[in-house]
Amino acid sequence: MLTEWRAGFQADPVPQRRRAHEAWLLEHLRRHGRASRAELVDATGLSRATVSALTADLLAAGKVVVTETPDPGRLGRTPQSLALNPAAGLVLGLDFGHTRVGVVAADAAHEIVGSATRPYPRSTPWETRCAIAVRLARKVLGEQPDAALAAVGIGIAGSISDRPAVVEAIREAFTAAFGVAVRTDNNARLAGLAESVWGAARGTPDVLYVRLSSGVGGAVILDGRVHRGRGDTAGEFGHVCLDPTGPLCRCSNRGCLECYVRVESVLAHGGVTTVAGLAEALDRDEPRARAAVTEAGQRIGLVLAGAGSVLDVATVVLGGDLAALREHLVRPVRQTLARHLHPDKVDDVTVRTAELGDLDGALGGVALVLHDPSIAFTGPLSPRHLPGSA
Ligand SMILES: [Zn+2]
């Protein structure tokens, strides 16, 4: 999109071009949080002098603030980063899991200013889940009474494209409660987006994210953006077929990846009942546990090698319950990827476990809003955030 803006404004008069470049810098900061002037030069392709002049104007206008980035390992001056003025407003992110809701509030500078989770029984109807979530969100926001809410981003477990009534009910509940724009998406996909913004794949534009829990979902992030696909179902790694004569999957196909690597299957195969128990058995190098995780890792790696070859992506993040197995799972996934990816890509293979923990889906809700240019921040600029003030 930025490239299009750039091309479109190349022949325009100077003030219009300047506004476009300014919007470009603000868009970069909104998507990535903080950035140094050198990073803005790299990201935008603008000259150092242009970035300096534009950021000086944005600082004077209070749209951008200077943040110090502490780096204990670095001697000398702390490098200065720029961020959107946090007083521009807040974003709420929510994640409706099967048995709990998570809420995160973050400001325009990507700082998390509040978070909370509440459990509910699996059988809880959506109306009750929404009421619990709205109360929790109000409590989190109540800790920031002066901040204007810009929008709400909500993740929902499972496919959302085949449950329009549920999505509509959630949107209505939050629109009525907060009177702002509401965006929704699958929570596994949002967890992947959050890992690419704040977590294990921060700074990496192209990422394959797989969430390994009771269900197996994921996200395809290309050029820093979630790839959704024609029917909004992209990233369904769990329903890639490994064996057309395999077990029946809940999606009605046979031999899907999810049938073999959902957490319950791996635990049963490993002869344990919890992921912590499996990790302990792996630490003791018990053959049954090792075989279960090696086979799961090989199957996951095979599916990712196919996706990675088609999309030319070699960075993988493993999330969900099985991510707690860390290197025990990463190793067979990495080995299988390296074996089956195109030889040109093997040196670039990176496999990591997720870093954001339980609030990953709610953080993804925040990122969903921050990455949506149709949502504007409208909050007032408070004096304490203006340049020159402490
Ligand atoms: Zn399936």
Side-chain angles (χ1 to χ4, degrees):
M1 190 193 313
L2 295 178
T3 315
E4 288 161 23
W5 289 0
R6 208 176 168 193
F9 280 104
Q10 265 171 358
D12 289 343
V14 171
Q16 201 167 356
R17 188 164 65 223
R18 189 180 174 86
R19 276 200 300 280
H21 289 164
E22 193 177 283
W24 199 356
L25 293 183
L26 292 171
E27 165 86 354
H28 184 84
L29 291 174
R30 178 170 162 153
R31 297 176 71 87
H32 298 276
R34 56 186 61 183
S36 67
R37 289 177 181 79
E39 286 166 339
L40 288 170
V41 167
D42 284 347
T44 59
L46 296 171
S47 72
R48 195 170 284 270
T50 301
V51 167
S52 280
L54 287 170
T55 53
D57 287 354
L58 290 168
L59 282 162
K63 292 182 178 176
V64 161
V65 295
V66 170
T67 65
E68 300 289 324
T69 311
D71 183 352
R74 187 180 170 127
L75 296 173
R77 266 184 68 194
T78 303
Q80 269 190 346
S81 289
L82 301 169
L84 293 188
N85 189 330
L90 291 186
V91 176
L92 264 181
L94 286 98
D95 176 8
F96 282 104
H98 293 296
T99 59
R100 61 117 185 87
V101 63
V103 179
V104 168
D107 63 30
H110 285 214
E111 287 296 321
I112 293 157
V113 297
S115 66
T117 58
R118 276 287 178 284
Y120 44 66
R122 190 175 275 265
S123 58
T124 307
W126 276 104
E127 196 180 340
T128 312
R129 290 185 190 199
C130 285
I132 293 169
V134 165
R135 274 200 303 278
L136 192 62
R138 283 204 171 112
K139 184 164 175 283
V140 169
L141 284 178
E143 291 155 15
Q144 305 291 323
D146 298 334
L149 182 64
V152 185
I154 302 176
I156 305 164
S159 168
I160 65 165
S161 56
D162 58 4
R163 290 184 299 166
V166 167
V167 173
E168 194 50 38
I170 293 170
R171 281 189 181 159
E172 278 177 14
F174 280 85
T175 305
F178 297 105
V180 296
V182 176
R183 299 285 185 268
T184 52
D185 207 335
N186 168 268
N187 66 349
R189 185 186 278 168
L190 291 186
L193 177 62
E195 290 293 340
S196 81
V197 176
W198 289 284
R202 181 176 156 76
T204 308
D206 302 324
V207 184
L208 304 177
Y209 169 82
V210 187
R211 201 184 217 194
L212 300 147
S213 294
S214 284
V216 176
V220 175
I221 312 282
L222 299 175
D223 199 18
R225 291 169 164 78
V226 171
H227 177 71
R228 297 177 185 284
R230 182 185 59 82
D232 202 22
T233 62
E236 289 286 5
F237 293 103
H239 300 286
V240 174
C241 179
L242 285 170
D243 178 1
T245 63
L248 192 63
C249 180
R250 67 187 169 97
C251 75
S252 83
N253 287 333
R254 283 191 176 276
C256 295
L257 176 68
E258 183 176 291
C259 300
Y260 305 98
V261 305
R262 62 196 298 263
V263 65
E264 292 83 357
S265 302
V266 177
L267 293 179
H269 192 176
V272 292
T273 54
T274 64
V275 175
L278 184 58
E280 285 167 18
L282 288 163
D283 288 340
R284 292 193 300 270
D285 203 22
E286 286 187 10
R288 186 172 171 185
R290 196 175 62 236
V293 174
T294 300
E295 282 175 32
Q298 287 170 342
R299 287 185 161 116
I300 296 161
L302 204 55
V303 168
L304 287 168
S309 292
V310 171
L311 297 169
D312 193 9
V313 175
T315 298
V316 166
V317 176
L318 306 174
D321 295 337
L322 290 184
L325 302 177
R326 305 193 70 83
E327 195 57 27
H328 293 300
L329 180 64
V330 165
R331 199 178 305 117
V333 172
R334 187 190 289 125
Q335 285 170 349
T336 308
L337 259 174
R339 192 174 308 134
H340 296 286
L341 267 180
H342 190 280
D344 288 352
K345 301 188 184 75
V346 168
D347 290 343
D348 300 330
V349 170
T350 303
V351 182
R352 302 186 187 116
T353 46
E355 292 178 357
L356 297 177
D358 244 13
L359 285 170
D360 54 358
L363 281 165
V366 171
L368 182 68
V369 170
L370 291 170
H371 285 210
D372 184 341
S374 73
I375 294 172
F377 284 101
T378 55
L381 298 175
S382 85
R384 71 193 165 91
H385 288 121
L386 288 175
S389 59

